[in-house]
Amino acid sequence: MKKTNRIFASLLLLASSGIALAQADKPAAHRPASQVADEWITHSETQLVAVVDAMPADKYSFAPTSGEFRGVRNFAKQVKHVAAVNYLCAAGILGERAPADAADERGPDSARTKAEIVKYLKDSFAYLHKAAATIDDKNVFEPISSPFGKGTQTRIGLAAAALAHSSNHYGQMVEYLRMNGIAPPASQ
């Protein structure tokens, strides 16, 4: 996980640098790490919330069952899992204790309806935005305790982990939409 986070963090920084350099004739202005991380979080949030909103409430219990899909999370559990990991990463960045219902990466059992699950996801992104706002040029690569067990992590590494994880599940959720005859919002 650490190697993946470092690679993703490097790509995140390179991409943001490339965007700044691509702006024609004016010199690239310094952009704080918090701003870059927040923009990427917003992008991930926009994509994921659109997919989550597109799935009808009566399909939140959908999970493929044939082939190699046996035992996978249903749609609702996918969403709550993404949100729980967002909470864990944000808490790690902030040096706070993660909410108890996020510790097992499953999210709260009490969130059962589409509205409750969407709220949990949106709240997790709000917490991730709050955490990203604390990342600065001095602490971006500072070692901190990993919220995923022993060892250390960096703030940008945890932000990158949340984004990579979210993207992974975004792809799975898109497939769930398509299996239910729903075109993902990004493809329309």
Side-chain angles (χ1 to χ4, degrees):
M1 182 151 148
K2 287 182 181 181
K3 184 176 180 181
T4 303
N5 290 345
R6 280 191 221 122
I7 291 169
F8 192 77
S10 297
L11 291 173
L12 179 71
L13 292 172
L14 285 173
S16 63
S17 299
I19 291 168
L21 291 175
Q23 294 177 351
D25 297 325
K26 57 183 177 177
H30 173 76
R31 295 179 43 188
S34 60
Q35 180 184 14
V36 174
D38 193 67
E39 288 170 2
W40 281 89
I41 291 166
T42 297
H43 175 74
S44 179
E45 177 182 18
T46 301
Q47 281 192 315
L48 198 61
V49 169
V51 165
V52 169
D53 282 340
M55 183 65 95
D58 65 330
K59 299 289 186 181
Y60 263 55
S61 61
F62 172 79
T65 56
S66 63
E68 293 302 314
F69 290 104
R70 285 180 301 253
V72 298
R73 292 178 179 101
N74 67 28
F75 190 84
K77 289 179 180 178
Q78 291 261 2
V79 178
K80 291 195 308 184
H81 171 66
V82 169
V85 171
N86 283 353
Y87 273 111
L88 287 168
C89 290
I93 292 168
L94 293 167
E96 297 177 356
R97 182 181 304 246
D101 60 17
D104 64 2
E105 298 183 17
R106 290 187 316 190
D109 291 333
S110 61
R112 294 187 179 154
T113 67
K114 177 178 177 175
E116 292 166 341
I117 293 166
V118 171
K119 181 181 181 334
Y120 183 64
L121 178 66
K122 288 180 178 181
D123 289 351
S124 78
F125 274 109
Y127 192 46
L128 199 53
H129 283 290
K130 176 184 172 184
T134 68
I135 301 172
D136 60 33
D137 293 344
K138 294 178 185 166
N139 70 15
V140 65
F141 293 111
E142 179 182 273
I144 56 175
S145 295
S146 174
F148 298 101
K150 58 185 174 180
T152 60
Q153 186 54 267
T154 63
R155 285 172 180 82
I156 199 67
L158 286 174
L163 295 172
H165 182 259
S166 176
S167 293
N168 175 16
H169 287 280
Y170 168 81
Q172 293 175 36
M173 288 182 223
V174 162
E175 185 61 24
Y176 283 25
L177 286 179
R178 290 192 183 280
M179 289 176 161
N180 282 282
I182 302 164
S187 67
Q188 295 177 3

